[in-house]
Amino acid sequence: MKKEDLRIVFMGTPEFAVETLRALVENGYNVVAVVTQPDKPVGRHGSVLQPSAVKQYAVEQGLPVLQPVKMKDEQFVQQLRSYGANLQVVVAFRMLPEVVWAMPEYGTFNVHAALLPQYRGAAPINWAVINGETQTGVTTFFLDHDIDTGRIIMKRTFDIPDDADVEYVYDGLMHLGAQLCLDTLDAIVEADGHPETMSQEEALNCQCEAALPKSGPSPADSLKPAPKIFKETCDIDWGRTAKQVYDMVRGLSPVPGAWTTLVAPDGRETVLKIYKAQKTGRKGQERGTLLTEGKRLFISAADEWLEVTELQLAGKKRMLARDFLNGMKNLEAYSVKKTSE
């Protein structure tokens, strides 16, 4: 098979997916159509429709764009089938019904921002950093009936520095994912549409063979999920260790941002987002205690002081801690909610 023989439908929505679509276009792959989310209402009254990043790029390249509200809609399914694609590539999109993912001759593969079977779910980049991982990566796999469980085609690893936040990892995996997609397509072409794959059960057993004793827990017990991030997910629990809070801040920065509740002496509460922090190694006090030293701000976790270096008070702009302290008086009379008793 030649790569020109592949008729590809690409599916994706955010900036993360654009890099892979761009790689396909610039490397001469035949992208016959692009599927993305419907335009999103924005503005004060929702009167302006904002196209997705993928749609903007696709329109610039003159690619046909489909924007179904429901993936099982009969009209959409017929329209998708009319493009005669024999392969579909998915990056950062929604769950697909079988009538869609099973349509092409060579199937549908996804570029997932984690080393499957670890971190299945909607927010793998966030959770890898929140959990203090030192390495993550990207995986290509064929879709099947369940979410993120299909047979693995390829993987690539990516190191996470201790001071890296989600933005850094996102950018790195975005580019790594695009390259892995190209490598996967090369393998599909070379294998006439049927590359070698490995089940996720096999992959997990290989990962755990050396790490788990024979009499210990099963490999499935070591799986870490990556569920969607909600507002309550981002509420800092100061009853956790400084390292755990530090990783949580990194794992949610810059978006959506870890937050805590600042409590004034009179009981008034204000949301305080924390974008950057530093471990100190200094034994702390009662969890949630505030401490200022000159122009430096510290909050005590369960074991140590954590220095907050960049933050945002509700209604204010994001700023350095020293600038925040310039406008705050008697801050040590305040406290933060612990969220865990």
Side-chain angles (χ1 to χ4, degrees):
M1 179 194 298
K2 298 178 181 178
K3 73 177 185 179
E4 293 79 8
D5 296 330
L6 285 179
R7 291 178 59 82
I8 299 171
V9 166
F10 181 87
M11 301 183 182
T13 296
E15 177 193 11
F16 189 91
V18 174
E19 190 66 24
T20 300
L21 177 57
R22 180 183 293 112
L24 298 186
V25 171
E26 294 181 355
N27 283 273
Y29 279 96
N30 183 19
V31 180
V32 296
V34 171
V35 182
T36 190
Q37 293 278 42
D39 294 357
K40 184 178 180 180
V42 296
R44 187 171 182 180
H45 303 291
S47 57
V48 178
L49 293 179
Q50 176 70 41
S52 71
V54 162
K55 179 181 178 179
Q56 292 179 55
Y57 178 78
V59 170
E60 290 172 2
Q61 300 301 314
L63 300 173
V65 176
L66 308 181
Q67 295 178 275
V69 174
K70 295 182 179 179
M71 299 299 292
K72 290 184 178 181
D73 179 79
E74 186 176 342
Q75 184 176 355
F76 163 70
V77 172
Q78 291 178 354
Q79 189 177 13
L80 182 63
R81 187 174 284 115
S82 71
Y83 285 98
N86 48 18
L87 181 69
Q88 291 175 157
V89 177
V90 180
V91 184
F93 196 50
R94 59 208 285 192
M95 184 176 178
L96 303 182
E98 183 174 2
V99 68
V100 172
W101 60 256
M103 186 183 297
E105 174 187 3
Y106 302 130
T108 299
F109 77 81
N110 181 274
V111 180
H112 186 73
L115 297 174
L116 290 173
Q118 297 295 349
Y119 295 108
R120 294 169 176 160
I125 303 177
N126 297 94
W127 284 107
V129 182
I130 290 171
N131 289 337
E133 304 287 2
T134 58
Q135 189 178 75
T136 185
V138 287
T139 304
T140 51
F141 69 98
F142 283 114
L143 298 191
D144 63 11
H145 293 89
D146 298 314
I147 299 175
D148 299 338
T149 60
R151 295 186 66 84
I152 293 171
I153 311 168
M154 289 184 176
K155 290 185 183 184
R156 294 289 185 275
T157 59
F158 181 83
D159 292 335
I160 305 176
D162 183 63
D163 60 349
D165 61 15
V166 160
E167 189 170 40
Y168 173 90
V169 182
Y170 180 100
D171 186 67
L173 295 185
M174 179 173 68
H175 291 90
L176 185 62
Q179 183 57 56
L180 183 62
C181 182
L182 293 178
D183 294 342
T184 299
L185 287 171
D186 288 345
I188 289 173
V189 168
E190 186 175 347
D192 291 327
H194 303 286
E196 290 186 8
T197 61
M198 175 184 288
S199 75
Q200 293 197 27
E201 290 72 22
E202 291 177 282
L204 182 60
N205 287 330
C206 290
Q207 290 174 6
C208 296
E209 189 174 31
L212 293 174
K214 292 181 180 180
S215 59
S218 70
D221 293 333
S222 69
L223 288 177
K224 299 174 184 177
K228 187 175 180 179
I229 301 288
F230 296 97
K231 181 180 178 181
E232 54 269 25
T233 313
C234 307
D235 188 1
I236 298 172
D237 179 358
W238 295 101
R240 307 191 77 189
T241 67
K243 173 66 164 63
Q244 289 172 322
V245 176
Y246 170 74
D247 289 337
M248 180 180 180
V249 169
R250 294 191 302 130
L252 297 170
S253 181
V255 177
W259 60 274
T260 191
T261 303
L262 188 65
V263 184
D266 63 4
R268 287 182 296 110
E269 297 182 352
T270 309
V271 170
L272 181 71
K273 280 194 174 183
I274 299 177
Y275 292 101
K276 289 189 178 180
Q278 294 179 357
K279 294 169 290 182
T280 66
R282 294 167 51 187
K283 184 174 176 58
Q285 296 181 12
E286 181 182 355
R287 54 197 174 94
T289 302
L290 288 166
L291 172 68
T292 60
E293 291 181 353
K295 297 300 181 183
R296 299 172 70 186
L297 172 62
F298 303 85
I299 303 178
S300 183
D303 56 346
E304 299 175 2
W305 291 107
L306 193 72
E307 181 176 5
V308 177
T309 59
E310 202 163 331
L311 48 76
Q312 182 179 16
L313 198 62
K316 305 292 183 180
K317 65 179 182 179
R318 179 173 171 175
M319 65 183 72
L320 297 176
R322 64 171 180 264
D323 298 324
F324 170 74
L325 292 174
N326 284 334
M328 292 291 293
K329 295 181 180 179
N330 196 30
L331 185 61
E332 290 187 3
Y334 288 67
S335 64
V336 295
K337 276 195 172 179
K338 305 171 183 64
T339 74
S340 173
E341 298 300 334

